[in-house]
Short mmCIF file of all heavy atoms in Angstrom, two decimals:
data_model
loop_
_atom_site.label_atom_id
_atom_site.label_comp_id
_atom_site.label_asym_id
_atom_site.label_seq_id
_atom_site.Cartn_x
_atom_site.Cartn_y
_atom_site.Cartn_z
N ILE A 239 35.03 32.74 23.44
CA ILE A 239 35.38 34.14 23.24
C ILE A 239 35.25 34.92 24.55
O ILE A 239 36.05 35.81 24.85
CB ILE A 239 34.48 34.76 22.15
CG1 ILE A 239 34.86 34.20 20.77
CG2 ILE A 239 34.58 36.28 22.14
CD1 ILE A 239 33.92 34.58 19.65
N ASP A 240 34.26 34.55 25.33
CA ASP A 240 34.04 35.23 26.62
C ASP A 240 35.00 34.77 27.71
O ASP A 240 35.07 35.39 28.77
CB ASP A 240 32.60 34.98 27.10
CG ASP A 240 31.57 35.70 26.23
OD1 ASP A 240 31.97 36.59 25.46
OD2 ASP A 240 30.38 35.35 26.33
N SER A 241 35.72 33.69 27.46
CA SER A 241 36.60 33.12 28.48
C SER A 241 38.03 33.62 28.30
O SER A 241 38.61 33.53 27.21
CB SER A 241 36.57 31.59 28.41
OG SER A 241 37.55 31.03 29.25
N ALA A 242 38.61 34.11 29.38
CA ALA A 242 39.99 34.58 29.32
C ALA A 242 40.97 33.42 29.18
O ALA A 242 42.13 33.61 28.78
CB ALA A 242 40.31 35.37 30.59
N LYS A 243 40.53 32.21 29.49
CA LYS A 243 41.41 31.05 29.45
C LYS A 243 41.49 30.39 28.07
O LYS A 243 42.40 29.61 27.80
CB LYS A 243 40.95 30.01 30.47
CG LYS A 243 41.02 30.48 31.92
CD LYS A 243 40.55 29.40 32.88
CE LYS A 243 40.64 29.86 34.32
NZ LYS A 243 40.16 28.80 35.27
N ALA A 244 40.53 30.68 27.21
CA ALA A 244 40.49 30.04 25.89
C ALA A 244 41.55 30.65 24.97
O ALA A 244 41.58 31.87 24.77
CB ALA A 244 39.10 30.17 25.27
N THR A 245 42.40 29.82 24.40
CA THR A 245 43.46 30.29 23.52
C THR A 245 42.95 30.50 22.10
O THR A 245 41.86 30.05 21.73
CB THR A 245 44.61 29.27 23.48
OG1 THR A 245 44.11 28.05 22.91
CG2 THR A 245 45.15 29.00 24.88
N LEU A 246 43.77 31.18 21.30
CA LEU A 246 43.43 31.35 19.88
C LEU A 246 43.29 29.99 19.19
O LEU A 246 42.44 29.80 18.33
CB LEU A 246 44.51 32.16 19.17
CG LEU A 246 44.44 33.69 19.25
CD1 LEU A 246 45.60 34.30 18.48
CD2 LEU A 246 43.11 34.19 18.71
N ALA A 247 44.14 29.04 19.58
CA ALA A 247 44.10 27.71 18.97
C ALA A 247 42.75 27.03 19.24
O ALA A 247 42.18 26.38 18.35
CB ALA A 247 45.24 26.85 19.50
N VAL A 248 42.25 27.18 20.45
CA VAL A 248 40.95 26.59 20.80
C VAL A 248 39.85 27.24 19.98
O VAL A 248 38.97 26.55 19.43
CB VAL A 248 40.68 26.77 22.31
CG1 VAL A 248 39.21 26.44 22.63
CG2 VAL A 248 41.60 25.87 23.12
N LYS A 249 39.89 28.54 19.86
CA LYS A 249 38.84 29.25 19.10
C LYS A 249 38.90 28.89 17.62
O LYS A 249 37.87 28.70 16.97
CB LYS A 249 39.00 30.76 19.30
CG LYS A 249 38.78 31.21 20.74
CD LYS A 249 39.18 32.68 20.93
CE LYS A 249 39.17 33.05 22.40
NZ LYS A 249 39.66 34.43 22.63
N ARG A 250 40.13 28.79 17.08
CA ARG A 250 40.26 28.41 15.67
C ARG A 250 39.72 27.00 15.44
O ARG A 250 39.02 26.75 14.46
CB ARG A 250 41.71 28.48 15.21
CG ARG A 250 41.87 28.11 13.73
CD ARG A 250 43.30 28.20 13.25
NE ARG A 250 44.17 27.21 13.87
CZ ARG A 250 45.44 27.00 13.47
NH1 ARG A 250 45.96 27.71 12.48
NH2 ARG A 250 46.17 26.08 14.09
N ARG A 251 40.04 26.10 16.34
CA ARG A 251 39.57 24.73 16.18
C ARG A 251 38.04 24.68 16.17
O ARG A 251 37.43 24.03 15.31
CB ARG A 251 40.11 23.84 17.30
CG ARG A 251 39.68 22.39 17.16
CD ARG A 251 40.09 21.50 18.33
NE ARG A 251 39.67 20.13 18.07
CZ ARG A 251 40.45 19.17 17.63
NH1 ARG A 251 41.72 19.41 17.39
NH2 ARG A 251 39.97 17.96 17.42
N LEU A 252 37.40 25.38 17.10
CA LEU A 252 35.94 25.40 17.16
C LEU A 252 35.36 26.00 15.88
O LEU A 252 34.40 25.47 15.32
CB LEU A 252 35.48 26.20 18.38
CG LEU A 252 35.68 25.54 19.75
CD1 LEU A 252 35.41 26.54 20.87
CD2 LEU A 252 34.78 24.32 19.90
N ALA A 253 35.96 27.10 15.42
CA ALA A 253 35.45 27.75 14.21
C ALA A 253 35.60 26.84 12.99
O ALA A 253 34.70 26.75 12.14
CB ALA A 253 36.18 29.07 13.98
N CYS A 254 36.74 26.14 12.88
CA CYS A 254 36.96 25.24 11.74
C CYS A 254 36.02 24.04 11.80
O CYS A 254 35.55 23.56 10.76
CB CYS A 254 38.41 24.79 11.71
SG CYS A 254 39.58 26.08 11.22
N GLU A 255 35.75 23.53 13.01
CA GLU A 255 34.79 22.44 13.13
C GLU A 255 33.40 22.90 12.71
O GLU A 255 32.65 22.17 12.06
CB GLU A 255 34.76 21.93 14.58
CG GLU A 255 35.98 21.13 14.98
CD GLU A 255 35.90 20.62 16.41
OE1 GLU A 255 34.78 20.31 16.85
OE2 GLU A 255 36.95 20.55 17.08
N MET A 256 33.06 24.13 13.07
CA MET A 256 31.76 24.67 12.69
C MET A 256 31.62 24.74 11.17
O MET A 256 30.55 24.45 10.62
CB MET A 256 31.59 26.05 13.33
CG MET A 256 30.22 26.66 13.14
SD MET A 256 29.89 28.03 14.28
CE MET A 256 31.26 29.14 13.95
N VAL A 257 32.69 25.12 10.50
CA VAL A 257 32.67 25.16 9.04
C VAL A 257 32.34 23.78 8.47
O VAL A 257 31.53 23.64 7.54
CB VAL A 257 34.02 25.65 8.48
CG1 VAL A 257 34.11 25.43 6.97
CG2 VAL A 257 34.22 27.13 8.79
N LYS A 258 32.95 22.74 9.02
CA LYS A 258 32.73 21.39 8.51
C LYS A 258 31.28 20.94 8.72
O LYS A 258 30.67 20.32 7.84
CB LYS A 258 33.68 20.40 9.19
CG LYS A 258 35.14 20.57 8.77
CD LYS A 258 36.05 19.56 9.44
CE LYS A 258 35.85 18.15 8.92
NZ LYS A 258 36.86 17.21 9.46
N TYR A 259 30.72 21.25 9.88
CA TYR A 259 29.32 20.89 10.13
C TYR A 259 28.39 21.56 9.11
O TYR A 259 27.51 20.91 8.53
CB TYR A 259 28.89 21.29 11.54
CG TYR A 259 29.40 20.37 12.63
CD1 TYR A 259 30.21 20.85 13.65
CD2 TYR A 259 29.07 19.02 12.65
CE1 TYR A 259 30.69 20.02 14.66
CE2 TYR A 259 29.54 18.18 13.65
CZ TYR A 259 30.34 18.68 14.65
OH TYR A 259 30.80 17.84 15.64
N TRP A 260 28.59 22.86 8.90
CA TRP A 260 27.70 23.58 7.98
C TRP A 260 27.96 23.20 6.52
O TRP A 260 27.03 23.20 5.71
CB TRP A 260 27.84 25.09 8.19
CG TRP A 260 27.17 25.54 9.45
CD1 TRP A 260 27.77 25.96 10.60
CD2 TRP A 260 25.75 25.58 9.71
NE1 TRP A 260 26.82 26.25 11.55
CE2 TRP A 260 25.58 26.04 11.03
CE3 TRP A 260 24.63 25.28 8.95
CZ2 TRP A 260 24.32 26.20 11.61
CZ3 TRP A 260 23.36 25.44 9.52
CH2 TRP A 260 23.23 25.90 10.83
N HIS A 261 29.21 22.86 6.20
CA HIS A 261 29.50 22.39 4.85
C HIS A 261 28.76 21.08 4.58
O HIS A 261 28.14 20.90 3.52
CB HIS A 261 31.00 22.19 4.67
CG HIS A 261 31.39 21.60 3.35
ND1 HIS A 261 31.26 22.28 2.16
CD2 HIS A 261 31.88 20.37 3.03
CE1 HIS A 261 31.66 21.51 1.17
NE2 HIS A 261 32.05 20.34 1.66
N GLN A 262 28.80 20.17 5.54
CA GLN A 262 28.09 18.90 5.39
C GLN A 262 26.57 19.10 5.37
O GLN A 262 25.86 18.40 4.64
CB GLN A 262 28.49 17.95 6.53
CG GLN A 262 29.92 17.47 6.46
CD GLN A 262 30.32 16.60 7.64
OE1 GLN A 262 29.47 16.05 8.33
NE2 GLN A 262 31.61 16.49 7.90
N ALA A 263 26.09 20.05 6.16
CA ALA A 263 24.66 20.35 6.15
C ALA A 263 24.23 20.85 4.78
O ALA A 263 23.18 20.46 4.25
CB ALA A 263 24.32 21.38 7.22
N GLN A 264 25.06 21.72 4.20
CA GLN A 264 24.73 22.24 2.87
C GLN A 264 24.76 21.13 1.83
O GLN A 264 23.88 21.05 0.96
CB GLN A 264 25.72 23.34 2.48
CG GLN A 264 25.44 23.93 1.10
CD GLN A 264 26.24 25.19 0.85
OE1 GLN A 264 25.81 26.29 1.14
NE2 GLN A 264 27.44 25.03 0.28
N ASP A 265 25.75 20.25 1.89
CA ASP A 265 25.81 19.12 0.95
C ASP A 265 24.56 18.26 1.06
O ASP A 265 24.02 17.80 0.05
CB ASP A 265 27.05 18.27 1.24
CG ASP A 265 28.33 18.90 0.72
OD1 ASP A 265 28.23 19.91 -0.03
OD2 ASP A 265 29.41 18.41 1.05
N SER A 266 24.10 18.04 2.29
CA SER A 266 22.93 17.18 2.50
C SER A 266 21.66 17.82 1.96
O SER A 266 20.86 17.17 1.28
CB SER A 266 22.75 16.88 4.00
OG SER A 266 23.82 16.11 4.49
N ILE A 267 21.47 19.09 2.26
CA ILE A 267 20.21 19.73 1.87
C ILE A 267 20.16 20.02 0.37
O ILE A 267 19.08 20.11 -0.22
CB ILE A 267 19.97 21.01 2.69
CG1 ILE A 267 18.47 21.29 2.77
CG2 ILE A 267 20.72 22.20 2.14
CD1 ILE A 267 18.08 22.26 3.85
N MET A 268 21.32 20.15 -0.28
CA MET A 268 21.34 20.39 -1.72
C MET A 268 20.94 19.15 -2.51
O MET A 268 20.64 19.24 -3.70
CB MET A 268 22.73 20.86 -2.15
CG MET A 268 23.10 22.25 -1.65
SD MET A 268 21.92 23.54 -2.14
CE MET A 268 22.22 23.59 -3.90
#
Side-chain angles (χ1 to χ4, degrees):
I239 289 172
D240 291 345
S241 172
K243 296 180 180 180
T245 64
L246 276 180
V248 167
K249 296 170 189 175
R250 181 179 67 172
R251 182 186 181 100
L252 288 170
C254 289
E255 287 181 34
M256 186 163 56
V257 169
K258 290 181 71 173
Y259 283 120
W260 286 108
H261 175 69
Q262 291 176 20
Q264 180 169 270
D265 283 350
S266 294
I267 206 163
M268 292 303 292

